[in-house]
Amino acid sequence: MQVQPLTVSKLCKTKSLIAVNNLFPGPVVYADEEDTVVVNVTNNCQYNITIHWHGIRQIRSGWADGPVYITQCPLQTGDTYQYKFKIQRQSGTLWWHAHDTWLRGTVHGAIVVFPKTGVPYPFHYPREEHIILIGEWWNANVEDVESQSLLTGGAPQLSDAYTINGHPGPLYNCSSQGKLFLFVFPNEHYLLRIVNVALNQELFFTVANHNLTVVEIDGDFTKPYTTSTIFLTPGQSTTALFITNQPTAKYYMGASPYSSAAGVPFPTTPTLAIVEYQGSSNSTPPVMPTFPATNDTGLVANFSASLRSLADTTHPEPVPQTVDRSLLFTIGLGTKPCGENRVCQGIAGTKLTASMNNISFVLPDIALLQAYYNNISGVFTRDFPDTPPIVFNYTGTPPNNTTPQRGTRLLVIPYNANVQMVFQDTSILGVENHPIHVHGYSFYIVGQGTGNFNSSQTSTFNLFDPPRRNTVGVPVGGWAAIRFKADNPGVWYIHCHLEVHTMWGLTMAFIVLNGARANETLPPPPPDLPRC
């Protein structure tokens, strides 16, 4: 992979962006389950870069995970690094993206993992498969958008369009600069591999007059679930079948926004692409889909609650029935002082920030995995709290003090422990849906609800066939509970996949500890690991 500038034109404007192999979106990585994947990444752009293989379990290959200053230092201009990992216990649709600042807005692409040779799909074999990446577009440089927001302390500039495979579609100006067509035959099955690659926007996806049957999410097959609308947070992938069983015509498929934060502005114009039946008339315009209301939280909750995994007692990673380590993490926004003799654009002249368990995460100057492996002191502490240090009515009236602590504090989890994490939304500066991504693991979403979580709600958990994902949407004003077995030693990142929240500190990291010394249980770092 060559990371380099690329000149593109959209929305009647031409700009230079950072892309991979002169492609936007970037190239697709195809592999079979149990394959070993080797990718050489060379940084030929002016920014530092890393690549994260989103959803890949990275079992004992944490050096290849990619989040900057967590598992590696960045590739500087001219550097090359070889990412090498084996795909284990998963198949389906995943994706890769830059994991240093906002570069993933343009540096991203799909990963398609087919089942092992001789293993069929657990659903009707499609005539064709198509990759659908739904995202956002800025006319401005996304790095400048991020830098300006961090400088002023306020919310970042809104995106100028939503996109499907990089194309805004016909509802935007200069749509002739790129349209996406999907040509289909009547009465056939087609498989759509859909990924939300947006930086900051949760999205609905639909195809006019057609149902979609979900068969896989985040690299794990599901029991079939048929719906007219799919919901995806940034970071989530969903694979769905649709049958071309409607009258011969053209139909729009599209993505539209879901916004759960009251009073926060967002772009509202959907992005569209065309599904064209063989033999359809060129003179008849495509059928427009009916999009959900932008605040349809009920649809989001129903979609999430309807997903079921194929998990049973024979699954290589079954649902943990007992818990060795129970954790409760509050998540939300906050403020911090602007600085002497300055007025910022956050609440009451402050800077906006974010935190987990009232700790706004600070990235170190050396990668945490390197510091852990080499036993370098002074980089991090091992005292991230299991529960919120300040107890209050999390979804009710917020506390007066909205300034969190700051630090590089890690959580330590024993190897092979059955872990339960509950993510609790808070009302500090307003409730909203948060997509939380866990690196190094897939997990079961055993429960979700509104209001404040309490331990009695574990009796309602689905421990039979809960959905298995790597990114969970924590409901607006509510909570989500996940379980996994901590069987992958290393240092792993947890963060909100709204990039604006990540840059504000809504992240944390944890160590899965196997033995007294990391260099006795983890493979050594590759010789070309970037230097700090």
Side-chain angles (χ1 to χ4, degrees):
M1 286 183 171
Q2 300 289 322
V3 182
Q4 58 204 39
L6 173 69
T7 299
V8 300
S9 295
K10 297 187 189 300
L11 305 184
C12 311
K13 298 180 184 295
T14 299
K15 77 167 188 177
S16 177
L17 53 77
I18 306 303
V20 170
N21 294 358
N22 285 320
L23 296 172
F24 171 67
V28 181
V29 175
Y30 291 99
D32 291 345
E33 186 179 353
E34 301 298 333
D35 277 356
T36 296
V37 177
V38 179
V39 183
N40 293 308
V41 176
T42 299
N43 183 12
N44 292 320
C45 77
Q46 68 271 37
Y47 301 107
N48 290 344
I49 194 81
T50 67
I51 301 295
H52 170 51
W53 312 92
H54 186 110
I56 297 295
R57 288 275 275 108
Q58 299 291 5
I59 298 175
R60 295 183 183 270
S61 57
W63 302 110
D65 192 38
V68 71
Y69 295 118
I70 304 299
T71 61
Q72 68 167 95
C73 292
L75 281 76
Q76 300 179 37
T77 303
D79 287 351
T80 296
Y81 180 48
Q82 183 180 90
Y83 291 90
K84 183 176 181 180
F85 51 88
K86 185 175 183 178
I87 299 175
Q88 302 181 66
R89 311 177 198 167
Q90 54 189 163
S91 59
T93 308
L94 300 168
W95 63 303
W96 58 266
H97 60 80
H99 213 303
D100 187 354
T101 67
W102 280 32
L103 284 173
R104 77 169 176 87
T106 57
V107 179
H108 59 250
I111 302 173
V112 176
V113 181
F114 298 109
K116 289 182 288 188
T117 301
V119 177
Y121 287 150
F123 49 81
H124 192 287
Y125 198 83
R127 179 186 177 98
E128 294 175 0
E129 301 184 8
H130 295 274
I131 292 167
I132 306 293
L133 305 182
I134 54 178
E136 292 176 279
W137 172 264
W138 275 262
N139 288 328
N141 183 319
V142 292
E143 289 293 280
D144 293 342
V145 172
E146 178 191 27
S147 297
Q148 182 67 13
S149 176
L150 289 172
L151 177 65
T152 64
Q157 173 188 332
L158 298 179
S159 60
D160 295 289
Y162 301 119
T163 59
I164 296 179
N165 289 359
H167 300 297
L171 297 182
Y172 291 92
N173 292 333
C174 298
S175 60
S176 60
Q177 292 176 335
K179 292 181 181 177
L180 178 66
F181 286 83
L182 181 60
F183 297 99
V184 298
F185 292 88
N187 300 310
E188 295 283 358
H189 289 71
Y190 290 83
L191 193 69
L192 302 182
R193 298 183 177 274
I194 312 158
V195 186
N196 185 342
V197 300
L199 285 177
N200 295 313
Q201 191 63 58
E202 297 170 311
L203 294 164
F204 297 113
F205 178 84
T206 188
V207 180
N209 292 11
H210 291 74
N211 283 329
L212 299 160
T213 300
V214 177
V215 294
E216 176 260 319
I217 53 174
D218 286 9
D220 262 80
F221 294 121
T222 66
K223 295 175 180 176
Y225 168 58
T226 300
T227 178
S228 61
T229 302
I230 288 173
F231 170 71
L232 300 100
T233 74
Q236 288 184 336
S237 58
T238 298
T239 300
L241 283 169
F242 85 101
I243 304 172
T244 50
N245 56 5
Q246 295 301 302
T248 298
K250 297 176 184 176
Y251 300 85
Y252 280 127
M253 61 179 172
S256 64
Y258 166 65
S259 178
S260 62
V264 176
F266 60 96
T268 58
T269 304
T271 177
L272 299 172
I274 297 172
V275 176
E276 181 173 336
Y277 276 59
Q278 183 191 41
S280 60
S281 171
N282 288 329
S283 61
T284 304
V287 178
M288 182 69 73
T290 300
F291 289 107
T294 57
N295 62 349
D296 196 342
T297 296
L299 189 156
V300 171
N302 182 68
F303 178 82
S304 301
S306 298
L307 300 174
R308 294 288 185 272
S309 70
L310 297 180
D312 56 29
T313 55
T314 63
H315 194 281
E317 295 182 8
V319 185
Q321 300 295 306
T322 59
V323 173
D324 302 312
R325 189 73 175 275
S326 183
L327 306 164
L328 174 64
F329 300 151
T330 51
I331 54 178
L333 305 185
T335 62
K336 63 181 180 180
C338 181
E340 189 174 357
N341 299 321
R342 290 189 61 201
V343 177
C344 289
Q345 295 177 8
I347 305 297
T350 63
K351 280 190 171 185
L352 295 173
T353 188
S355 66
M356 282 191 181
N357 273 0
N358 202 46
I359 299 168
S360 189
F361 191 78
V362 178
L363 285 174
D365 296 325
I366 181 175
L368 293 174
L369 183 57
Q370 290 174 271
Y372 170 57
Y373 185 86
N374 293 304
N375 197 29
I376 300 173
S377 61
V379 178
F380 63 87
T381 59
R382 303 186 183 198
D383 59 350
F384 190 89
D386 287 12
T387 57
I390 300 174
V391 178
F392 62 99
N393 182 3
Y394 303 123
T395 54
T397 302
N400 293 326
N401 183 1
T402 61
T403 302
Q405 302 175 34
R406 289 169 52 81
T408 311
R409 299 168 62 178
L410 273 60
L411 182 77
V412 178
I413 297 175
Y415 179 69
N416 268 341
N418 286 337
V419 179
Q420 177 176 290
M421 292 182 178
V422 177
F423 299 102
Q424 172 70 61
D425 187 24
T426 64
S427 58
I428 300 176
L429 303 194
V431 294
E432 66 179 298
N433 199 87
H434 292 276
I436 301 297
H437 175 50
V438 179
H439 287 236
Y441 287 88
S442 292
F443 50 75
Y444 291 100
I445 306 172
V446 295
Q448 290 179 293
T450 58
N452 298 334
F453 174 79
N454 65 73
S455 58
S456 66
Q457 289 162 313
T458 58
S459 63
T460 66
F461 284 0
N462 177 6
L463 302 180
F464 175 68
D465 60 354
R468 192 165 183 259
R469 306 205 78 138
N470 58 61
T471 304
V472 56
V474 179
V476 53
W479 54 270
I482 67 171
R483 287 188 183 184
F484 61 91
K485 189 179 187 67
D487 60 355
N488 193 13
V491 178
W492 305 108
Y493 201 31
I494 299 179
H495 62 97
C496 182
H497 224 278
L498 302 178
E499 204 64 34
V500 61
H501 291 175
T502 295
M503 78 177 189
W504 286 340
L506 210 169
T507 74
M508 60 88 68
F510 66 100
I511 301 171
V512 173
L513 190 64
N514 181 14
R517 296 181 60 84
N519 58 15
E520 296 172 354
T521 58
L522 296 175
D528 61 343
L529 187 71
R531 303 301 179 195
C532 296

